[in-house]
């Protein structure tokens, strides 16, 4: 997609990496590791898990680089999809689930957990809100944050917000439609 | 508060599922169902790709530098991690299936010439009754050629049936044609210029229902020009999809389809 010029660079690096070019992959790492790790950290709320997820995702990027198809989206979008899926899978696995619940509990009553992560998270949430999501009405913003950035299922989103499932889905759908207008990407109308 | 809903072809509920899938916000069962249906709809895959592109904005500003050791670990692991071979890419959403009698005629024709060559080598192979018929130039020969008994293989009967209908598409230079005869209630897959597959992998065909999980339709035999009698009931399928699987196949797809042929019309 041409609306994000650095993607051309990432796409080109991916294509070189697909041929086994380790130097290109190292360059790709330097360009995207912070972004992928940042998203993994936001979703898992756990530095160790986030490191594991980022490492696994990057190895998947290396293995499957030949599958990247620029006709379907940007290199960044492709890599974020991989890391997000892995992060969500990790937090939904049972062991991770309990840890994450702890982090959630501690947000309302902070004690005995990694306050650095928590601070980072708080800052990052604030930063996101100032960017694309800030344009969305609060109910839509909250629903999308919980789904995408906290890695909850739609059922969990409705529980967390205390609204019926249909309402949660509507907020997410309408929020994504609004986001489309804000970022001005894509040709397909939601 | 509702978004405009102009010009929709997937219905609202399906669209919502695709939106939730883009956020990875479906349960694992729902995810499997949606992925199976996505395999049959290029339009929905394009919607998913566009949604994922929009989501890039949500992590803009979340960057956190990972510890330097992560770089060392990843780059060290890369040196010993083999890459998937390039021919098996995910399908482009721009892929346009073709169907019609031309493909069926072409498939019949190619098959005839390949079969002539194989038969002339006089190598008979007995495979099972309803088994894979592999016609590979320079490799394996035809099914049920048992001595000189002129028995018409099932695949041939389907391909020659008067009511045979076909759907075709290609991926990475290989042509895949699904041929169905209602009178025989059998389906045959013909693959021309089949891709080379690593020895520990196999291409698996799947019948993808409109609602539910994909069901295995069989594994493609080796060879450049391949015929396979597909297992399962084509009438219940919305698409035939193909994935790379470990040798021996899988009970459910473990990779994204590199090709899905919608059974339209």
């Amino acid at each position: 997609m041409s609306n994000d010029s650095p993607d051309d660079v990432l796409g080109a690096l991916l294509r070189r990496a697909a041929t086994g070019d380790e130097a290109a992959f190292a360059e790709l790492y330097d360009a995207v590791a912070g972004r992928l790790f940042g998203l993994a950290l936001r979703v898992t709320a756990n530095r160790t898990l986030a490191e594991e997820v980022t490492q696994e995702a990057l190895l998947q990027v290396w293995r499957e680089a030949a599958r990247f198809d620029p006709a379907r989206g940007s290199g960044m979008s492709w890599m974020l999809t991989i890391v997000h899926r892995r992060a969500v899978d990790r937090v939904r696995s049972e062991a991770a689930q309990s840890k994450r619940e702890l982090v959630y509990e501690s947000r309302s009553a902070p004690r005995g957990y990694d306050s650095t992560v928590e601070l980072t998270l708080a800052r990052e949430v604030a930063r996101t809100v100032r960017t694309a999501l800030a344009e969305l009405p609060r109910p839509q913003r909250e629903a999308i944050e919980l789904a995408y950035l906290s890695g909850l299922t739609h059922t969990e989103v409705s529980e967390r917000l205390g609204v019926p499932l249909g309402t949660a889905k509507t907020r997410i759908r309408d929020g994504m439609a609004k986001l489309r207008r804000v970022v001005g990407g894509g040709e397909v109308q939601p | 508060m509702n978004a405009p809903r102009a010009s929709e072809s997937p219905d609202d509920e399906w669209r919502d599922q695709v939106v939730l899938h883009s956020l990875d916000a479906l349960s694992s069962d729902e995810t499997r169902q949606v992925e199976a249906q996505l395999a049959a709809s290029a339009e929905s895959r394009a919607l998913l790709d566009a949604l994922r592109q929009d989501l890039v904005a949500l992590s803009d500003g979340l960057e956190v530098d990972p510890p330097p050791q992560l770089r060392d670990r990843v780059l060290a692991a890369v040196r010993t991690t083999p890459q998937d071979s390039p021919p098996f890419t995910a399908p482009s959403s721009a892929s346009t299936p073709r169907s019609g009698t031309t493909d069926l005629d072409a498939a019949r024709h190619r098959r005839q010439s390949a079969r002539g060559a194989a038969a002339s080598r006089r190598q008979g192979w007995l495979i099972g009754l309803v088994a894979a018929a592999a016609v590979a130039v320079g490799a394996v020969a035809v099914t049920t050629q048992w001595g000189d008994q002129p028995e018409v293989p099932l695949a041939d009967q389907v391909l020659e049936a008067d009511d045979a209908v076909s759907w075709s598409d290609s991926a990475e230079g290989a042509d895949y044609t699904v041929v169905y005869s209602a009178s025989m209630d059998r389906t045959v897959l013909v693959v021309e210029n089949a891709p080379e597959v690593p020895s520990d992998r196999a291409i698996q065909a799947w019948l993808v229902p409109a609602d539910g999980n994909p069901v295995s339709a069989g594994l493609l035999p080796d060879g450049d020009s391949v015929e396979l009698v597909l297992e399962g009931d084509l009438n219940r399928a919305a698409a035939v999809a193909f994935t790379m699987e470990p040798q021996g196949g899988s009970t459910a797809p473990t990779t994204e389809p590199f090709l899905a042929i919608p059974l339209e019309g």
Side-chain angles (χ1 to χ4, degrees):
Chain A
M1 303 233 169
S2 55
N3 58 330
D4 206 353
S5 58
D7 285 335
D8 297 331
V9 177
L10 298 181
L13 287 173
L14 276 170
R15 281 190 293 279
R16 281 170 57 201
T19 66
D21 185 337
E22 290 173 16
F25 187 78
E27 213 177 309
L28 186 67
Y29 180 100
D30 294 333
V32 301
R35 185 71 176 266
L36 301 188
F37 182 65
L39 180 59
L41 186 60
R42 177 66 178 81
V43 173
T44 60
N46 179 303
R47 195 163 265 275
T48 309
L49 281 185
E51 280 183 38
E52 288 172 12
V53 161
T54 307
Q55 177 166 350
E56 289 163 4
L58 281 160
L59 287 176
Q60 185 178 343
V61 166
W62 166 256
R63 279 197 313 273
E64 298 182 357
R67 282 173 172 252
F68 166 65
D69 179 355
R72 296 186 56 188
S74 66
M76 183 62 95
S77 171
W78 186 70
M79 291 183 279
L80 287 170
T81 298
I82 289 173
V83 80
H84 190 265
R85 178 76 247 173
R86 284 186 170 272
V88 163
D89 285 346
R90 283 306 286 270
V91 294
R92 286 186 196 159
S93 76
E94 211 174 335
Q97 187 67 33
S98 55
K99 274 187 203 167
R100 190 167 57 121
E101 290 306 324
L102 271 178
V103 173
Y104 274 114
E105 296 316 312
S106 48
R107 278 183 198 175
S108 41
R111 57 176 177 272
Y113 68 100
D114 185 346
S115 60
T116 319
V117 169
E118 182 63 14
L119 267 176
T120 310
L121 289 173
R123 255 200 323 271
E124 281 157 8
V125 171
R127 256 188 292 170
T128 316
V129 167
R130 281 199 299 273
T131 60
L133 276 175
E135 305 291 323
L136 272 56
R138 185 171 170 175
Q140 298 174 6
R141 188 176 71 222
E142 281 176 343
I144 289 180
E145 276 180 356
L146 287 172
Y148 187 73
L149 296 179
S150 300
L152 303 189
T153 65
H154 58 107
T155 315
E156 292 169 322
V157 170
S158 79
E159 285 163 4
R160 186 83 48 149
L161 292 173
V163 300
L165 191 55
T167 307
K169 284 188 186 182
T170 303
R171 288 181 186 177
I172 289 170
R173 178 218 304 143
D174 292 348
M176 287 302 290
K178 182 83 195 280
L179 181 68
R180 165 69 44 89
R181 293 191 289 276
V182 171
V183 302
E187 302 81 24
V188 181
Q189 288 302 310
Chain B
M1 210 70 247
N2 286 341
R5 311 240 180 99
S7 68
E8 299 189 5
S9 46
D11 62 16
D12 286 354
E13 202 176 322
W14 166 242
R15 184 175 293 263
D16 282 355
Q17 293 298 96
V18 176
V19 168
L20 292 172
H21 182 53
S22 75
L23 296 159
D24 293 320
L26 293 172
S27 71
S28 49
D29 284 348
E30 290 167 326
T31 299
R32 272 192 294 277
Q33 280 183 12
V34 167
E35 282 176 348
Q37 285 180 261
L38 280 166
S41 168
E43 189 185 354
S44 299
R45 289 199 300 276
L47 171 64
L48 179 65
D49 292 339
L51 288 162
R52 285 176 169 164
Q53 190 65 45
D54 293 341
L55 287 171
V56 170
L58 296 197
S59 55
D60 190 9
L62 293 186
E63 292 88 344
V64 178
D65 286 335
Q69 310 88 281
L70 185 69
R71 188 180 196 275
D72 301 338
R73 286 206 301 272
V74 168
L75 297 184
V78 152
R79 282 192 282 278
T80 58
T81 303
Q83 291 180 293
D84 290 357
S85 37
F88 307 106
T89 57
S92 158
S93 43
S95 104
T96 46
R98 324 175 302 265
S99 57
T101 51
T102 324
D103 296 307
L104 181 55
D105 290 343
R108 283 172 174 161
H109 179 74
R110 284 193 298 260
R111 208 187 100 269
Q112 284 298 347
S113 41
R115 193 168 162 239
S120 70
R121 273 189 299 280
R122 288 264 156 261
Q123 285 186 312
W125 238 268
L126 174 65
I127 310 183
L129 253 179
V130 187
V135 182
V137 178
V140 191
V142 183
T143 49
T144 56
Q145 244 191 309
W146 197 351
D148 286 324
Q149 198 125 24
E151 192 173 330
V152 182
L154 185 57
D156 288 15
Q157 294 177 44
V158 172
L159 291 167
E160 300 301 333
D162 289 338
D163 64 345
V165 288
S166 72
W167 298 266
S168 296
D169 200 356
S170 44
E172 303 294 336
D175 296 316
Y176 296 74
T177 303
V178 174
V179 182
Y180 173 70
S181 159
S183 61
M184 299 190 60
D185 195 22
R186 295 281 184 189
T187 311
V188 170
L189 170 71
V190 179
V191 184
E192 297 292 337
N193 306 315
E196 271 185 49
V197 178
S199 60
D200 57 343
R201 303 286 190 88
I203 294 177
Q204 191 161 6
W206 304 89
L207 298 186
V208 185
D211 187 10
N213 296 326
V215 180
S216 176
L219 290 169
L220 269 64
D222 288 338
D224 290 331
S225 176
V226 161
E227 286 176 14
L228 174 66
V229 178
L230 294 182
E231 297 156 23
D233 180 0
L234 201 76
N235 290 309
R236 294 180 182 203
V240 179
F242 300 89
T243 61
M244 281 300 285
E245 298 296 333
Q247 191 182 29
S250 305
T251 53
T254 60
T255 60
E256 272 192 58
F258 61 85
L259 175 68
I261 304 178
L263 305 173
E264 289 155 350

Coordinates of all heavy atoms in Angstrom, one line a residue, chain A residues 16 23-24 28-29 31 36 48 51 72 81 87-88 98 105 114 121 123 130 133 142-143 146 160-161 167 173 182 187:
Chain A
R16 N 13.9 -9.5 0.2 CA 15.3 -9.9 0.2 C 15.5 -11.0 1.3 O 16.2 -12.0 1.0 CB 16.2 -8.7 0.5 CG 16.5 -7.9 -0.7 CD 17.2 -6.6 -0.3 NE 18.5 -6.8 0.4 CZ 19.1 -5.9 1.1 NH1 18.5 -4.7 1.3 NH2 20.2 -6.2 1.7
A23 N 21.5 -10.5 6.1 CA 21.8 -9.1 6.4 C 20.6 -8.3 6.2 O 20.3 -7.4 7.0 CB 22.9 -8.6 5.4
A24 N 19.8 -8.6 5.2 CA 18.5 -7.9 5.0 C 17.6 -8.1 6.2 O 16.9 -7.2 6.7 CB 17.8 -8.4 3.7
L28 N 15.9 -5.5 8.8 CA 14.5 -5.6 9.0 C 14.3 -5.6 10.5 O 13.4 -4.9 11.1 CB 13.9 -6.8 8.4 CG 12.4 -7.0 8.4 CD1 11.7 -5.9 7.6 CD2 12.0 -8.4 7.9
Y29 N 15.0 -6.4 11.2 CA 14.9 -6.5 12.7 C 15.1 -5.0 13.3 O 14.3 -4.6 14.1 CB 16.0 -7.4 13.3 CG 15.9 -7.5 14.8 CD1 15.3 -8.6 15.4 CD2 16.4 -6.5 15.6 CE1 15.1 -8.6 16.8 CE2 16.3 -6.5 17.0 CZ 15.7 -7.6 17.6 OH 15.5 -7.7 18.9
A31 N 14.6 -2.3 12.0 CA 13.5 -1.3 11.6 C 12.2 -1.6 12.4 O 11.4 -0.7 12.6 CB 13.3 -1.4 10.1
L36 N 7.2 -4.2 17.0 CA 6.6 -5.5 17.3 C 6.7 -5.8 18.8 O 5.7 -6.3 19.4 CB 7.4 -6.7 16.5 CG 7.4 -6.6 15.0 CD1 8.0 -7.8 14.4 CD2 6.0 -6.3 14.4
T48 N 8.6 -10.7 29.9 CA 9.2 -12.0 29.5 C 8.4 -12.6 28.3 O 8.9 -13.1 27.3 CB 9.2 -13.0 30.7 OG1 9.8 -12.3 31.8 CG2 9.9 -14.2 30.3
E51 N 8.9 -10.7 25.1 CA 10.2 -11.1 24.4 C 10.0 -12.4 23.7 O 10.5 -12.6 22.6 CB 11.3 -11.2 25.5 CG 11.9 -9.9 25.9 CD 13.1 -10.1 26.8 OE1 13.9 -11.0 26.6 OE2 13.2 -9.3 27.8
R72 N -1.5 -7.6 -0.9 CA -2.5 -7.7 0.2 C -2.4 -6.7 1.3 O -3.2 -6.6 2.2 CB -2.4 -9.2 0.7 CG -2.8 -10.2 -0.3 CD -2.9 -11.6 0.3 NE -3.8 -11.6 1.5 CZ -4.0 -12.6 2.3 NH1 -3.2 -13.7 2.1 NH2 -4.8 -12.5 3.3
T81 N 0.4 -8.4 12.1 CA -0.6 -9.5 12.2 C -0.1 -10.7 12.9 O -0.7 -11.3 13.7 CB -1.2 -9.8 10.8 OG1 -1.8 -8.6 10.3 CG2 -2.2 -11.0 10.8
A87 N 0.8 -13.0 20.2 CA 0.6 -12.4 21.6 C -0.7 -12.8 22.2 O -0.8 -13.2 23.3 CB 0.7 -10.9 21.5
V88 N -1.8 -12.8 21.3 CA -3.1 -13.1 21.8 C -3.1 -14.6 22.2 O -3.7 -15.0 23.2 CB -4.1 -12.8 20.7 CG1 -5.4 -13.5 21.0 CG2 -4.3 -11.3 20.7
S98 N -3.8 -16.4 34.0 CA -3.8 -16.0 35.4 C -2.8 -14.8 35.7 O -3.2 -13.9 36.5 CB -3.4 -17.2 36.3 OG -2.2 -17.7 35.9
E105 N -5.8 -6.8 38.0 CA -6.2 -6.5 39.4 C -5.3 -5.4 39.9 O -5.8 -4.5 40.5 CB -6.1 -7.8 40.3 CG -7.0 -8.9 39.9 CD -8.4 -8.5 39.6 OE1 -8.9 -7.7 40.4 OE2 -8.9 -9.0 38.6
D114 N 5.2 -5.7 38.6 CA 6.2 -4.9 37.9 C 5.7 -3.5 37.5 O 5.0 -3.3 36.6 CB 6.6 -5.7 36.6 CG 7.7 -5.0 35.9 OD1 8.1 -3.8 36.2 OD2 8.3 -5.6 35.0
L121 N 3.0 0.8 30.3 CA 1.7 0.6 29.7 C 0.8 1.8 29.8 O 0.1 2.2 28.8 CB 1.0 -0.6 30.4 CG 1.6 -1.9 30.1 CD1 1.0 -3.0 31.0 CD2 1.5 -2.3 28.6
R123 N 1.6 4.9 30.0 CA 2.1 5.9 29.1 C 1.7 5.6 27.6 O 1.3 6.4 26.9 CB 3.6 6.0 29.1 CG 4.1 7.2 29.9 CD 5.6 7.5 29.5 NE 6.4 6.4 29.3 CZ 7.1 5.8 30.3 NH1 7.1 6.2 31.5 NH2 7.9 4.8 30.0
R130 N -3.9 9.5 22.1 CA -3.6 10.8 21.4 C -3.5 10.6 19.9 O -3.5 11.6 19.1 CB -2.3 11.4 21.9 CG -2.5 12.1 23.2 CD -1.4 13.1 23.5 NE -0.1 12.5 23.6 CZ 0.4 12.0 24.7 NH1 -0.3 12.0 25.8 NH2 1.6 11.4 24.7
L133 N -6.7 6.4 17.7 CA -7.9 6.1 18.4 C -8.6 7.3 19.1 O -9.8 7.3 19.4 CB -7.5 5.1 19.6 CG -7.5 3.6 19.2 CD1 -7.0 2.8 20.3 CD2 -8.8 3.1 18.7
E142 N -12.9 2.4 23.6 CA -12.7 1.5 24.7 C -12.8 0.0 24.2 O -12.0 -0.9 24.5 CB -13.7 1.7 25.8 CG -13.4 2.8 26.7 CD -14.5 3.0 27.7 OE1 -15.7 2.5 27.5 OE2 -14.3 3.7 28.7
A143 N -13.8 -0.2 23.4 CA -14.1 -1.6 22.9 C -12.9 -2.1 22.0 O -12.5 -3.2 22.2 CB -15.4 -1.6 22.1
L146 N -9.8 -2.7 24.2 CA -9.9 -4.0 24.9 C -9.6 -5.2 24.0 O -9.0 -6.1 24.3 CB -11.2 -4.1 25.6 CG -11.4 -3.2 26.8 CD1 -12.8 -3.2 27.4 CD2 -10.4 -3.6 27.9
R160 N -16.3 -7.1 30.2 CA -15.5 -6.1 30.8 C -16.2 -4.7 30.8 O -16.1 -3.9 31.7 CB -14.1 -5.9 30.1 CG -13.1 -5.0 30.7 CD -12.3 -5.6 31.8 NE -11.8 -6.9 31.4 CZ -10.7 -7.4 31.9 NH1 -9.9 -6.7 32.7 NH2 -10.3 -8.6 31.5
L161 N -16.9 -4.5 29.7 CA -17.6 -3.2 29.6 C -19.0 -3.2 30.3 O -19.6 -2.2 30.4 CB -17.8 -2.8 28.1 CG -16.5 -2.4 27.4 CD1 -16.8 -2.3 25.9 CD2 -15.9 -1.2 28.0
T167 N -24.0 -5.2 21.7 CA -23.6 -3.8 21.8 C -22.0 -3.7 21.6 O -21.5 -2.8 20.9 CB -23.9 -3.3 23.2 OG1 -25.3 -3.5 23.4 CG2 -23.6 -1.8 23.3
R173 N -17.5 -2.7 15.5 CA -17.7 -2.5 14.1 C -17.7 -1.1 13.7 O -17.0 -0.6 12.8 CB -19.0 -3.2 13.6 CG -19.3 -3.0 12.2 CD -20.7 -2.8 11.9 NE -21.6 -3.9 12.5 CZ -22.7 -3.7 13.0 NH1 -23.3 -2.5 13.1 NH2 -23.4 -4.7 13.5
V182 N -10.5 7.7 9.6 CA -9.4 8.5 10.2 C -8.1 8.2 9.5 O -7.3 9.1 9.2 CB -9.3 8.2 11.7 CG1 -8.0 8.8 12.3 CG2 -10.5 8.6 12.5
E187 N -9.3 0.4 0.3 CA -10.3 0.8 -0.7 C -11.6 0.1 -0.3 O -12.6 0.5 -0.8 CB -9.9 0.3 -2.1 CG -8.6 0.8 -2.6 CD -7.4 0.0 -2.1 OE1 -7.6 -1.1 -1.7 OE2 -6.3 0.6 -2.0

